Amino acid sequence: MKSAVETLNPTRVRLSIEVPFEELKDSLDAAYKKINQQVTVKGFRKGKIPARVIDQRFGRGAVLEEAVNDALPKFYTEAVNEAELNVLGQPEVDITELKDGETLNFTAEVDVRPTIEIPDYSGIEVEVDAIEVTEEDIDKSVEQLRERFASTSPVERAAEDGDVVTLDLEAKVDGEVLEDGVATGLSYTIGSGELLDGVDDAVKGVEAGGEATFTSELKGGSAAGQEAEVTVKVTQVAARELPALDDEFAQLASEFDTLEELRADSRKRLENMKQYDQATQAQERVLEKLLELVEVPVPEKLLEEEINTRKHNLEHHQLGQMGLDLEKYLEIQGKTAEEFDTETKEAAVKGIKTQFVLDELVNKEKLNVNQEELTEHLMRRAASSGMSPDQFAQAVVEGNQVPMLVGEVARGKALAVVVEAATVKDTNGEIIDLDDEEEDETTETTSEETPAAEAEATEDKPEA
């Protein structure tokens, strides 16, 4: 076999492959054997039909076609390996010449990872928000805890803001009560915004036993997105009573003996949260600076696949779970279809570039992923997916996604190397020292849901 590589552009090549006919012998034998098992010829036992009879009855062309389809993947893979190409996705194969007994010539066009030069990134400088926890922040945190320990007691008066009311609801569209538009005994805090738009104004001023009617756009169910006439009956009004902010509350709501200790703990937790946000912000901004330094051509076909994948996941998974379609989603977001397409393309380009650059860094820095790191990442991914670690691990193995997870961890480590080399200052001008703990968040930053970019298919089989 002979092969040659022609570079069509920085992300696509054409392989020209010439195969002497004698190298097709194994595939020809396999073709005759396969056809033997599929056909019957009077006078011959199944599987024992001579090759010359198959040629006469079914045509030599059918045998050659079967043999070529069997041989193409092997010769294509050999040519890819010989040229040391890092291919992406399936090739487009064209048989240019097939002479029985002489030669098989074919071409294969395929996307390849572009050659990327990683520049010196030690000079990257970024600014992040300073970690500042105010007394107001602590007050808000303690107040949220206080809300959780509020008690309620029924009152004989009209409902007011902050009251907890028990409601019966009935929704009609075009005068017809929806099958899934009836609910009884709902507990709702006025002002929380957890029910339909307009319900707060409708129930305020209504006493137990009273009812009101209002119109609202339904957020979910069989008539999601449609205007409905909603009748709401108040069956009970209860006032919320907050516990006093004192040492007794601290003992009730926490492991601390005093309110002062509880507030000190709240400060510490808020500082930790802001430190986490600061680390994530640093990673995102360092990554943006790194991408600005590197020229990364993006394969057109890969980009198209990535855009389609992102749209499919949004429409059929995320929005579907919320009972929305794309049109309604864009209306809520206040975006046009053109703006959505532009944003999706920009995100896809960034995701692919990020993966290419960080993968190159993994190779350059010779980064490896050990079992402990992979297990920790798997646990985090399982938690975010709502699955148990065992269920997630089984799904990963069955879907042959282990290499994808290894890639995510490796890219996280690569970005951590760049962040460590960068100068990170907060808005007060203080230099921030980011330690290795941030690798946990880094992986989330770098796994930008680029399934199309995962389609590195050196072993993918072409089809004629």
Coordinates of all heavy atoms in Angstrom, one line a residue, residues 127-175:
E127 N -7.5 40.5 36.5 CA -8.0 41.1 37.7 C -9.3 40.4 38.1 O -10.1 40.1 37.2 CB -8.2 42.6 37.5 CG -8.7 43.3 38.8 CD -8.9 44.8 38.5 OE1 -10.0 45.1 37.9 OE2 -8.1 45.6 39.0
V128 N -9.5 40.1 39.4 CA -10.7 39.5 39.9 C -11.3 40.3 41.0 O -10.6 41.2 41.5 CB -10.4 38.0 40.4 CG1 -9.9 37.2 39.2 CG2 -9.3 38.1 41.5
D129 N -12.5 40.0 41.4 CA -13.2 40.7 42.4 C -12.5 40.4 43.8 O -12.1 39.3 44.0 CB -14.6 40.3 42.5 CG -15.4 40.7 41.3 OD1 -15.0 41.6 40.6 OD2 -16.5 40.0 41.0
A130 N -12.4 41.4 44.6 CA -11.8 41.3 45.9 C -12.8 40.5 46.8 O -14.0 40.6 46.6 CB -11.4 42.6 46.5
I131 N -12.3 39.8 47.8 CA -13.1 39.1 48.8 C -13.5 40.1 49.9 O -12.7 40.4 50.7 CB -12.4 37.9 49.3 CG1 -12.2 36.8 48.2 CG2 -13.3 37.2 50.4 CD1 -11.4 35.6 48.7
E132 N -14.7 40.5 49.9 CA -15.2 41.4 50.9 C -16.6 41.0 51.4 O -17.5 40.8 50.6 CB -15.4 42.8 50.3 CG -14.0 43.5 49.8 CD -14.2 44.8 49.2 OE1 -15.4 45.2 49.0 OE2 -13.2 45.5 48.9
V133 N -16.6 40.7 52.7 CA -17.9 40.3 53.3 C -18.3 41.5 54.3 O -17.6 41.8 55.2 CB -17.7 39.0 54.1 CG1 -19.0 38.7 54.9 CG2 -17.3 37.9 53.2
T134 N -19.4 42.1 54.0 CA -19.9 43.2 54.8 C -20.8 42.7 55.9 O -21.3 41.6 55.9 CB -20.6 44.2 53.9 OG1 -21.8 43.6 53.4 CG2 -19.7 44.6 52.7
E135 N -21.1 43.6 56.8 CA -22.1 43.3 57.9 C -23.5 43.1 57.3 O -24.2 42.2 57.8 CB -22.2 44.5 58.9 CG -20.9 44.6 59.7 CD -20.7 43.4 60.6 OE1 -21.6 42.9 61.2 OE2 -19.5 42.9 60.6
E136 N -23.8 43.8 56.2 CA -25.0 43.5 55.5 C -25.1 42.1 54.9 O -26.2 41.5 55.0 CB -25.2 44.6 54.4 CG -25.5 46.0 54.8 CD -24.3 46.7 55.3 OE1 -23.1 46.2 55.1 OE2 -24.4 47.9 55.8
D137 N -24.0 41.6 54.4 CA -24.0 40.3 53.9 C -24.3 39.3 55.0 O -25.0 38.3 54.8 CB -22.6 39.9 53.3 CG -22.3 40.7 52.0 OD1 -23.3 41.1 51.3 OD2 -21.1 41.0 51.7
I138 N -23.7 39.5 56.2 CA -23.9 38.6 57.3 C -25.3 38.7 57.8 O -25.9 37.7 58.1 CB -22.9 38.9 58.4 CG1 -21.4 38.7 57.9 CG2 -23.1 38.0 59.6 CD1 -20.4 39.2 58.9
D139 N -25.8 39.9 57.8 CA -27.2 40.1 58.3 C -28.2 39.3 57.3 O -29.1 38.6 57.8 CB -27.6 41.6 58.2 CG -26.9 42.4 59.3 OD1 -26.4 41.8 60.3 OD2 -26.9 43.6 59.2
K140 N -27.9 39.4 56.0 CA -28.8 38.7 55.1 C -28.7 37.2 55.3 O -29.7 36.5 55.2 CB -28.3 39.1 53.6 CG -29.2 38.5 52.6 CD -28.8 39.0 51.2 CE -29.7 38.3 50.1 NZ -29.2 38.8 48.7
S141 N -27.5 36.7 55.5 CA -27.3 35.2 55.7 C -28.0 34.7 56.9 O -28.7 33.7 56.9 CB -25.8 34.9 55.8 OG -25.6 33.6 56.1
V142 N -27.9 35.5 58.0 CA -28.5 35.1 59.3 C -30.0 35.2 59.1 O -30.8 34.4 59.6 CB -28.0 36.0 60.4 CG1 -28.8 35.7 61.7 CG2 -26.5 35.7 60.7
E143 N -30.5 36.2 58.4 CA -31.9 36.4 58.2 C -32.5 35.2 57.4 O -33.6 34.8 57.6 CB -32.2 37.7 57.4 CG -33.7 38.1 57.4 CD -34.3 38.3 58.7 OE1 -33.6 38.7 59.7 OE2 -35.5 38.2 58.8
Q144 N -31.7 34.7 56.4 CA -32.2 33.6 55.6 C -32.3 32.3 56.5 O -33.3 31.6 56.3 CB -31.2 33.3 54.4 CG -31.3 34.3 53.3 CD -30.2 34.1 52.3 OE1 -29.2 33.4 52.6 NE2 -30.3 34.8 51.1
L145 N -31.4 32.2 57.4 CA -31.5 31.1 58.4 C -32.7 31.3 59.3 O -33.4 30.3 59.6 CB -30.2 31.0 59.2 CG -30.1 29.9 60.2 CD1 -30.1 28.5 59.5 CD2 -28.8 30.0 61.0
R146 N -32.9 32.5 59.7 CA -34.1 32.8 60.5 C -35.4 32.5 59.8 O -36.3 31.9 60.5 CB -34.0 34.3 60.9 CG -35.0 34.7 62.0 CD -34.8 36.2 62.2 NE -35.8 36.8 63.1 CZ -36.2 38.0 63.1 NH1 -35.7 38.9 62.2 NH2 -37.1 38.4 64.0
E147 N -35.4 32.7 58.5 CA -36.6 32.5 57.8 C -37.0 31.0 57.8 O -38.1 30.6 57.8 CB -36.5 32.9 56.3 CG -36.4 34.4 56.1 CD -37.8 35.0 56.1 OE1 -38.8 34.3 56.0 OE2 -37.9 36.3 56.1
R148 N -35.9 30.1 57.8 CA -36.1 28.7 57.8 C -36.7 28.2 59.1 O -37.3 27.1 59.1 CB -34.8 28.0 57.5 CG -34.3 28.1 56.1 CD -32.8 27.7 56.0 NE -32.6 26.4 56.5 CZ -31.4 25.9 56.7 NH1 -30.3 26.6 56.4 NH2 -31.2 24.7 57.3
F149 N -36.6 28.9 60.1 CA -37.1 28.5 61.4 C -38.3 29.3 61.8 O -38.7 29.3 63.0 CB -36.0 28.7 62.5 CG -34.9 27.6 62.5 CD1 -33.9 27.7 61.6 CD2 -35.1 26.4 63.2 CE1 -32.9 26.7 61.5 CE2 -34.1 25.4 63.1 CZ -33.0 25.6 62.3
A150 N -38.9 29.9 60.8 CA -40.2 30.7 61.1 C -41.3 29.7 61.4 O -41.4 28.6 60.9 CB -40.5 31.6 60.0
S151 N -42.2 30.1 62.2 CA -43.4 29.3 62.5 C -44.6 30.1 62.0 O -44.6 31.2 61.7 CB -43.6 29.1 64.0 OG -43.7 30.4 64.7
T152 N -45.7 29.3 61.8 CA -47.0 30.0 61.3 C -48.1 29.7 62.2 O -48.2 28.6 62.9 CB -47.3 29.4 59.9 OG1 -47.5 28.0 59.9 CG2 -46.2 29.8 58.9
S153 N -49.1 30.6 62.2 CA -50.3 30.4 63.0 C -51.5 31.0 62.3 O -51.3 32.1 61.8 CB -50.1 31.0 64.4 OG -49.8 32.3 64.3
P154 N -52.6 30.3 62.2 CA -53.8 30.8 61.5 C -54.2 32.1 62.1 O -54.2 32.3 63.3 CB -54.8 29.7 61.6 CG -54.0 28.5 61.9 CD -52.8 28.9 62.7
V155 N -54.7 33.0 61.2 CA -55.3 34.3 61.6 C -56.6 34.6 61.0 O -56.8 34.0 59.9 CB -54.3 35.5 61.3 CG1 -53.0 35.3 62.2 CG2 -53.9 35.5 59.9
E156 N -57.4 35.3 61.6 CA -58.7 35.6 61.0 C -58.7 37.1 60.5 O -59.2 38.0 61.1 CB -59.8 35.4 62.1 CG -60.0 34.0 62.5 CD -61.2 33.8 63.5 OE1 -61.9 34.8 63.8 OE2 -61.4 32.7 63.9
R157 N -58.1 37.2 59.4 CA -58.0 38.5 58.7 C -57.6 38.3 57.3 O -57.3 37.2 56.8 CB -56.9 39.4 59.4 CG -55.5 38.8 59.4 CD -54.5 39.9 59.7 NE -53.2 39.3 59.9 CZ -52.3 39.0 58.9 NH1 -52.8 39.0 57.7 NH2 -51.1 38.5 59.2
A158 N -57.6 39.4 56.5 CA -57.3 39.3 55.1 C -55.8 39.0 54.9 O -55.0 39.4 55.8 CB -57.7 40.6 54.4
A159 N -55.4 38.3 53.9 CA -54.1 37.9 53.6 C -53.2 39.2 53.3 O -53.7 40.1 52.6 CB -54.0 36.9 52.5
E160 N -52.0 39.1 53.8 CA -51.0 40.2 53.6 C -49.7 39.7 53.0 O -49.5 38.5 53.1 CB -50.8 41.0 54.9 CG -52.0 41.6 55.5 CD -51.7 42.2 56.9 OE1 -50.5 42.0 57.3 OE2 -52.6 42.8 57.5
D161 N -48.9 40.6 52.6 CA -47.5 40.2 52.1 C -46.8 39.4 53.2 O -46.9 39.8 54.4 CB -46.7 41.4 51.8 CG -46.5 41.6 50.3 OD1 -46.5 40.6 49.6 OD2 -46.3 42.7 49.9
G162 N -46.2 38.3 52.8 CA -45.4 37.5 53.8 C -46.3 36.4 54.5 O -45.7 35.5 55.1
D163 N -47.6 36.5 54.4 CA -48.4 35.4 55.0 C -48.3 34.1 54.2 O -48.0 34.1 53.0 CB -49.9 35.8 54.9 CG -50.2 36.9 56.0 OD1 -49.4 37.1 56.9 OD2 -51.3 37.5 55.9
V164 N -48.6 33.0 54.9 CA -48.6 31.7 54.2 C -50.1 31.3 54.1 O -50.9 31.2 55.1 CB -47.9 30.6 55.1 CG1 -48.1 29.3 54.4 CG2 -46.5 31.0 55.3
V165 N -50.5 31.2 52.8 CA -51.9 30.9 52.5 C -52.1 29.5 52.0 O -51.2 29.0 51.3 CB -52.5 31.9 51.6 CG1 -52.7 33.3 52.2 CG2 -51.7 32.1 50.3
T166 N -53.2 28.9 52.3 CA -53.5 27.6 51.7 C -54.5 27.8 50.6 O -55.6 28.4 50.8 CB -54.1 26.6 52.7 OG1 -53.1 26.5 53.8 CG2 -54.3 25.2 52.1
L167 N -54.2 27.3 49.4 CA -55.0 27.7 48.2 C -55.5 26.5 47.4 O -54.9 25.4 47.4 CB -54.2 28.5 47.2 CG -53.4 29.7 47.8 CD1 -52.5 30.3 46.7 CD2 -54.4 30.8 48.2
D168 N -56.7 26.7 46.8 CA -57.2 25.7 45.8 C -57.2 26.5 44.5 O -57.7 27.6 44.4 CB -58.7 25.3 46.1 CG -58.7 24.4 47.4 OD1 -57.7 23.9 47.8 OD2 -59.8 24.3 47.9
L169 N -56.7 25.9 43.4 CA -56.6 26.6 42.1 C -57.3 25.8 41.0 O -57.4 24.6 41.1 CB -55.1 26.7 41.7 CG -54.2 27.6 42.5 CD1 -52.7 27.5 42.0 CD2 -54.6 29.0 42.5
E170 N -57.9 26.6 40.1 CA -58.5 26.0 38.9 C -58.2 26.8 37.7 O -58.4 28.0 37.7 CB -60.0 25.9 39.1 CG -60.7 25.2 37.9 CD -62.2 25.2 38.1 OE1 -62.9 26.2 37.8 OE2 -62.7 24.2 38.6
A171 N -57.5 26.2 36.7 CA -57.1 27.0 35.5 C -58.0 26.6 34.3 O -58.2 25.4 34.0 CB -55.6 26.7 35.2
K172 N -58.4 27.6 33.5 CA -59.2 27.4 32.3 C -58.6 28.0 31.2 O -58.0 29.1 31.3 CB -60.6 28.0 32.5 CG -61.5 27.3 33.5 CD -62.9 28.0 33.6 CE -63.8 27.4 34.6 NZ -65.1 28.1 34.7
V173 N -58.6 27.3 30.0 CA -58.1 27.9 28.8 C -59.3 27.8 27.8 O -59.8 26.7 27.6 CB -56.9 27.2 28.2 CG1 -56.6 27.7 26.8 CG2 -55.7 27.4 29.1
D174 N -59.7 29.0 27.2 CA -60.8 29.0 26.3 C -62.1 28.5 27.0 O -62.9 27.8 26.3 CB -60.6 28.3 25.0 CG -59.4 28.9 24.2 OD1 -59.2 30.1 24.3 OD2 -58.7 28.1 23.5
G175 N -62.2 28.7 28.3 CA -63.4 28.3 29.0 C -63.4 26.9 29.5 O -64.4 26.5 30.2

